[in-house]
Amino acid sequence: MNYILENARVIDPVQNIDSVGDIAVCDGVLADPAKMPAGTERIDLSGKVVAPGFIDLHVHLRHPGKTQAETIHTGTLAAAAGGFTSIVAMPNTSPAADNPGTIHFVLTHAEREGVVKVLPCGAMTKNLEGKEMSSIGSLKAAGAVALSDDGRCVQDHQLMRHIVHYSRTFDLPILDHCGDKLLEAEGVMHEGEWSVLLGMKGMPSAAEELMIYRDIILSRMTNWKIHIQHVSAKESVAILRQARREGIRVTGEATPHHISLTDVEIKRFDSNYKMNPPLRSEEDRLALLEGLADDTLTVIATDHAPHTATEKMVEFDYAPFGIIGLETAVQICMTELYHKGVLSLPHLISKLTKGPAEVLGLDIGNLKLGNPADITILDPDRETVVDPNQFKSKSRNTPFAGYRAKGCAVGTIVNGKFVHKAF
């Protein structure tokens, strides 16, 4: 448990560090390399990058409930393989995480069989039905770090107002999936040119835009943090940009699939391209890149949503929304954002460390001395090909099979212990 990582490029956006140096680990925490005893093991990381442990704000572990698709054990193995040391578990389990018992269940199993840190998110409403507020104080006491109804955006504005007020009282950020159900109707893909050509029911960008406007207003009214999950539309980026300029406490995230794919892929009729919000136009994708570059969007999150092969192996209209992402996110982001010059490496790392930590209000995602040694090691130039058969996740529902990536996570350390090592 005691060693020194030496000769790496150390990047910590929280402390504005970007230099070649050494990182020491002593009894599971970050220590001063100069104070380590003689003879301490040294691990040479020349050519590698050492960063704070990556944080994923948006993960579906399916446990309790749909363990045929994922469990806490397999989901955390996938997170470790992808370079994540902390993941926020969404509440749409069965039963839903709308009560202290389910939060305790997740934490107990994470302690027993998880290999990375699991931070449970509580449900905003009972059974995620959007009708009655859950017991927010009890969820906080049980260990919830945030509140969300995830894929079921609360449609009742008055109820949402009360939820935001209570979440501020208990210091819990809101993580909101924004979508107006009446506008989305029974849509299965982005409403645009390709939905017309393919004859599929579309989901207009306005459905997302409308609820983001609602959340901005509520954030302004309450002066509290609302984080917009998986922003997908150019209009959404524009209104978030303006709100943030005005000092309103809203933040947003982009997913690797929305920054790298568009709705043209739906012509394959492959349900692994079906997600909510849907893949949108090239214009929307470029707006997301601009939003990441100017810090309108401060977070990259996976929206890891496992489904079994049987669930996805149906007609596109009837397949469930969602793809997995924990084991492909860093590869896609390194390739599409860093190597294509959209973001510098420190800027990209900030979206996976500093940004998520600020949303949660937690002292994680940094390399401060004395903090737990949660570390991600990157090889920025290693070339890989995505092979779902090698995934640690139980599920294989990814559109990125065969994707050629440049850059990946080669080491993941949690509390000083290697939970993934590929160098």
Side-chain angles (χ1 to χ4, degrees):
M1 295 291 286
N2 297 340
Y3 51 86
I4 297 174
L5 305 174
E6 60 180 8
N7 301 323
R9 179 183 175 186
V10 179
I11 298 176
D12 180 358
V14 171
Q15 300 185 88
N16 293 314
I17 295 172
D18 182 4
S19 61
V20 175
D22 299 342
I23 295 290
V25 176
C26 181
D27 297 329
V29 301
L30 294 160
D32 185 345
K35 296 181 179 179
M36 298 293 284
T40 298
E41 178 187 3
R42 291 179 173 269
I43 301 173
D44 184 23
L45 293 180
S46 299
K48 309 292 193 300
V49 174
V50 168
F54 289 174
I55 305 160
D56 192 344
L57 278 186
H58 198 163
V59 174
H60 301 269
L61 291 177
R62 307 299 192 207
H63 196 181
K66 295 179 64 177
T67 52
Q68 70 274 20
E70 197 75 284
T71 66
I72 288 173
H73 179 62
T74 59
T76 55
L77 282 174
F84 293 95
T85 61
S86 296
I87 56 177
V88 176
M90 290 295 104
N92 61 334
T93 49
S94 182
D98 61 358
N99 62 88
T102 306
I103 299 294
H104 284 305
F105 177 95
V106 171
L107 288 172
T108 300
H109 279 264
E111 180 69 24
R112 183 186 307 157
E113 59 197 65
V115 296
V116 304
K117 295 174 179 177
V118 176
L119 308 174
C121 181
M124 293 192 288
T125 66
K126 292 183 178 180
N127 203 33
L128 305 170
E129 293 177 345
K131 297 177 180 179
E132 185 179 355
M133 185 167 57
S134 59
S135 180
I136 292 175
S138 297
L139 293 174
K140 169 76 172 187
V145 299
L147 297 172
S148 178
D149 269 10
D150 191 60
R152 301 186 182 183
C153 179
V154 174
Q155 304 294 293
D156 184 326
H157 306 322
Q158 183 75 305
L159 174 60
M160 188 64 177
R161 177 187 179 183
H162 291 315
I163 290 168
V164 179
H165 271 296
Y166 271 85
S167 68
R168 180 184 178 185
T169 300
F170 292 100
D171 197 28
L172 288 171
I174 295 287
L175 315 179
D176 202 21
H177 170 122
C178 288
D180 183 279
K181 294 305 178 187
L182 291 177
L183 282 178
E184 289 178 341
E186 301 300 320
V188 297
M189 67 173 292
H190 172 59
E191 182 179 285
E193 177 185 3
W194 279 100
S195 66
V196 174
L197 290 173
L198 297 173
M200 290 188 179
K201 180 70 173 176
M203 303 166 71
S205 301
E208 175 179 291
E209 181 186 8
L210 183 62
M211 283 305 189
I212 292 179
Y213 267 121
R214 188 272 308 267
D215 283 1
I216 288 170
I217 292 168
L218 292 178
S219 177
R220 187 185 64 205
M221 287 175 64
T222 59
N223 190 31
W224 188 236
K225 297 190 290 186
I226 300 181
H227 176 73
I228 310 301
Q229 297 178 307
H230 42 44
V231 176
S232 67
K234 62 180 180 180
E235 297 87 356
S236 303
V237 176
I239 59 178
L240 274 173
R241 179 178 291 117
Q242 183 59 36
R244 287 174 59 78
R245 284 174 179 168
E246 294 174 9
I248 299 172
R249 301 179 72 181
V250 286
T251 52
E253 74 191 25
T255 69
H257 46 277
H258 284 115
I259 64 172
S260 59
L261 301 171
T262 67
D263 59 345
V264 67
E265 304 293 349
I266 308 303
K267 67 182 181 181
R268 303 168 183 258
F269 296 103
D270 182 345
S271 62
N272 285 328
Y273 291 93
K274 184 179 180 181
M275 61 278 294
N276 186 12
L279 298 176
R280 300 203 186 271
S281 69
E282 175 68 2
E283 195 174 358
D284 292 305
R285 189 187 74 85
L286 293 175
L288 293 178
L289 298 185
E290 292 175 7
L292 288 167
D294 69 9
D295 283 333
T296 297
L297 305 174
T298 59
V299 174
I300 293 172
T302 66
D303 191 12
H304 177 82
H307 294 290
T308 65
T310 302
E311 289 174 308
K312 279 286 194 178
M313 202 177 298
V314 295
E315 293 92 336
F316 193 92
D317 282 3
Y318 302 109
F321 292 103
I323 64 170
I324 54 176
L326 284 168
E327 293 172 83
T328 56
V330 172
Q331 291 164 289
I332 294 164
C333 290
M334 291 288 287
T335 305
E336 302 291 336
L337 297 177
Y338 170 56
H339 283 293
K340 291 186 178 181
V342 178
L343 301 177
S344 68
L345 195 50
H347 201 181
L348 171 57
I349 289 171
S350 76
K351 309 290 184 184
L352 297 159
T353 55
K354 181 181 179 181
E358 287 178 343
V359 171
L360 297 174
L362 300 176
D363 186 22
I364 58 177
N366 60 67
L367 297 174
K368 296 177 184 176
L369 297 183
N371 276 1
D374 296 342
I375 299 168
T376 298
I377 303 171
L378 303 173
D379 186 332
D381 296 312
R382 179 179 294 189
E383 296 184 356
T384 56
V385 177
V386 173
D387 180 2
N389 292 320
Q390 302 300 315
F391 285 171
K392 303 295 184 182
S393 172
K394 259 189 161 184
S395 295
R396 300 288 182 268
N397 53 308
T398 176
F400 292 107
Y403 178 89
R404 295 186 176 275
K406 186 174 183 180
C408 62
V410 295
T412 310
I413 300 171
V414 177
N415 290 333
K417 178 183 177 182
F418 273 92
V419 293
H420 169 65
K421 189 175 182 181
F423 63 88

